Amino acid sequence: MPSQRSPLVPRETPVLGGEGFVSADPKTLPARLEAAGFADIRIEIGDLDYRFHARKPRRH
């Protein structure tokens, strides 16, 4: 069975020397950020891209 790929991530994404690329499925990103302790999570999914915003709460 072929692997599921997000249509937002090109098959071959150019990476410059010393940089890395980790694809993240925008549908699962909010739950993953929440599990990592982030709050105020917002995500906007466009036709070819997505952007997200999340805050790490301050420790008291």
Side-chain angles (χ1 to χ4, degrees), residues 14-33:
V15 177
L16 300 175
E19 294 184 0
F21 177 82
V22 177
S23 64
D25 185 343
K27 294 175 189 168
T28 63
L29 190 55
R32 294 174 63 192
L33 289 170

Side-chain angles (χ1 to χ4, degrees), residues 1-6 9 11 14-17 20 23 28 31-32 34 36 40-41 48 52-53 55 60:
M1 173 179 227
S3 64
Q4 295 280 349
R5 290 189 59 82
S6 169
V9 178
R11 285 197 181 273
V15 177
L16 300 175
S23 64
T28 63
R32 294 174 63 192
E34 185 176 9
D40 189 24
I41 299 165
L48 299 174
F52 67 93
H53 172 88
R55 293 185 187 271
H60 295 282

